[in-house]
Amino acid sequence: QFVMVALLADDAIDELWTLFRKGTTRSRAWRAAQLAGLARMLDTHEAEFLAALEIDLGKCAFEAATLEIVVTRCEAKSMSSQLGTLMADERVATPTLMLPGTSYVRREPLGVCLVVAPFNYPLQLALAPVIGALGGGNCVVLKPSEKCPATASLLARFLPAYCKGIVVIEGGAAVAAELVRRRWGLIFFTGSLRVGQVVAREAANTLTPTVLELGGKSPCIVTESANIAVAARRIAWGKTVNLGQTCVAPDFVIVERAVVAEFVDALKTVLHNFYGDDPAASPDYGKMVDAAAVTRARAMLAEDHGGEVVYGGHCDEKGRYVAPTIVLGPREDSRLLSEELFSPILPIIVVENAGEAIELAERRAAQYEPLAVYIFSEDSQLVAQALKRVPSGSALVNDVLLHFGNPNLPFGGVGPSGQGKYHGAASFRCFTHERAILERSTVRNYPQLLLLLLPLPPPSADLMKATSPDAWALVSVLKGPQNILIIRTICQTRPRRSRPLAQRTPLPPLSPPPHAWAPTDSQASPEARRTRSSCTAPARSRKGRRSEQRASEREGGMLGHEPVRQPVAQRSDTHCSRSVGLRKELRRDDPRNGPQPQPERRDEADDAASGCPHANRRRDVQHAVGDQPNEASHAQGRV
């Protein structure tokens, strides 16, 4: 049987590599289709998976649906919705010495990845890495746990039917060892520390990258300021869900002496409310994975651990049953505090104060580096101190386990508790590699200008002959660090394509400054009048007119005109008087305002005496349009 499995695996794995090398798995449409198929499989065959989980681990329907199916389906939909963002290239800055150019990072798939799943959550922990691998554009070989045969059989039956690029290989430890020896794009392993070390050694022989989710002893700190009733309820749930067979379950609790009695009583009350007098008869209480796990838990309780069993303690290998158990005050060198329990046994360590609790958790974390740390306290400063001093893969304040179900949080260990992160966007990054890309432009190439930024000796004659002479001439002009901005502008500017002179649009003529004389419409030629009417600008504010006047004066000065400036007092008086008089005449001519008193007409001699620069121009305008017999016509001529 082992030989047949190996031969079938060879053919299936070769087909996956062929599919990957064709580039089929790289498109966003292919990835989204596989994720949608996985979610559709969970919806269609939910009843079969719930029945299989009850057979393998005795999980009730609510627990199995919540922690296995719903979480996995949400993970698949979340990954599918983020594909566009995750697959987009990430632009990064380009150093000045490499301009003109564009730099970016592209996430590319790794190939065919191997996923080795554990037994404690045989559906969720098998499909969560598969979701990340499919989202990253990879093909997947899934090896489910042989300790949960019912769930593994359904995965092998349904998963390849709904998703392309996936092969499910069933088998025991020998099959897993043979698969690990192969060359893969990535090996994703979830399991114990001992087996994880074996996987890492085998992967090192082929230089295959690995992600290890191993577990460890996660401490839980309960301080005097904590809400004891809430803490007891949440810790009891986190320890007994799936009978403690959870990698992030609270492994032991550190409690201050002032509240230890209250905490233990609250735990007993909560456990009785959860599962009644006999947890073995409760439909909500699960089973251990096999009899060997029960025997191991019995041996831990039977040894001289130096503590007191204050609740539970019953074990039954035939029924795969371990009662929820509370052990008060065991020694630190006992198996209860030195090995990962993976059972519903909860040791409690008593300390004098919160500082001692943090110190104990820090000392033990330095040896084991847990997968998670839990802190129950209402003191924000104490929480901040604990988070700072106690290392862990993740942390949770005033609750347990819930961070695992958040697809937006990366999940993983540190040191002996694991290597690598996954969930959500972290899964995509886990199953892809960052490919650095730099694209240079050949439209304009001034590498010689960049030599100004470096303390280099003068170029040789051969180098000058090999490059453009106009660039070296520009180099000779642009000397010193003050011209770095000019160099960057030259290198980054994309030149426009030159067109023949006949196709170029001529520049409009410069308008004369406001002080220069301009002919009226009657004196100008018809062609000039058409140009002026087509270029008439809308009315501007007083501030805009002043800015344009200053700019025109500067422009006139540059073109050789000498702007005529009046004294400030005289200029303001004449200009204001003329503008006010014009507005009055316009209001008077408006028929809606009725008859208006006739203003006193101002003579040209008065204008000349006052020094108005517009006197000659108005006389010319009147000469062009002729003397009008009435004041309205005179006002029109002035306009």
Side-chain angles (χ1 to χ4, degrees), residues 228 255-266 328 348-350:
I228 300 301
V255 188
E256 291 189 50
R257 188 176 298 277
V259 295
V260 64
E262 180 184 359
F263 178 72
V264 171
D265 293 339
L328 185 61
I348 297 178
I349 303 176
V350 183

Side-chain angles (χ1 to χ4, degrees), residues 284-364:
D284 299 325
Y285 197 71
K287 298 179 180 180
M288 301 295 288
V289 64
D290 53 22
V294 180
T295 303
R296 178 174 175 270
R298 182 192 294 274
M300 288 184 177
L301 293 174
E303 74 166 2
D304 184 15
H305 48 69
E308 178 186 1
V309 179
V310 296
Y311 188 86
H314 179 64
C315 301
D316 180 18
E317 284 82 358
K318 185 176 181 180
R320 294 186 294 165
Y321 170 75
V322 175
T325 305
I326 301 174
V327 181
L328 185 61
R331 295 193 311 270
E332 289 193 35
D333 59 349
S334 62
R335 294 182 62 187
L336 292 175
L337 293 179
S338 59
E339 297 181 12
E340 187 177 7
L341 299 180
F342 235 61
S343 63
I345 302 174
L346 184 63
I348 297 178
I349 303 176
V350 183
V351 295
E352 298 299 330
N353 50 57
E356 186 179 347
I358 296 176
E359 182 180 355
L360 175 60
E362 180 183 11
R363 186 175 69 252
R364 295 187 61 86

Side-chain angles (χ1 to χ4, degrees), residues 8 36 49 80 100 107 150 163 261 287 293 348 355 375 405 410 436 460 471 488 512 515 542 577 604 616 632:
L8 293 175
F49 282 114
S80 180
R107 290 278 180 176
C163 302
K287 298 179 180 180
I348 297 178
I375 307 165
S460 62
R488 288 180 177 175
H515 60 268
R542 181 181 299 177
S577 62
E604 287 79 359
N616 297 331

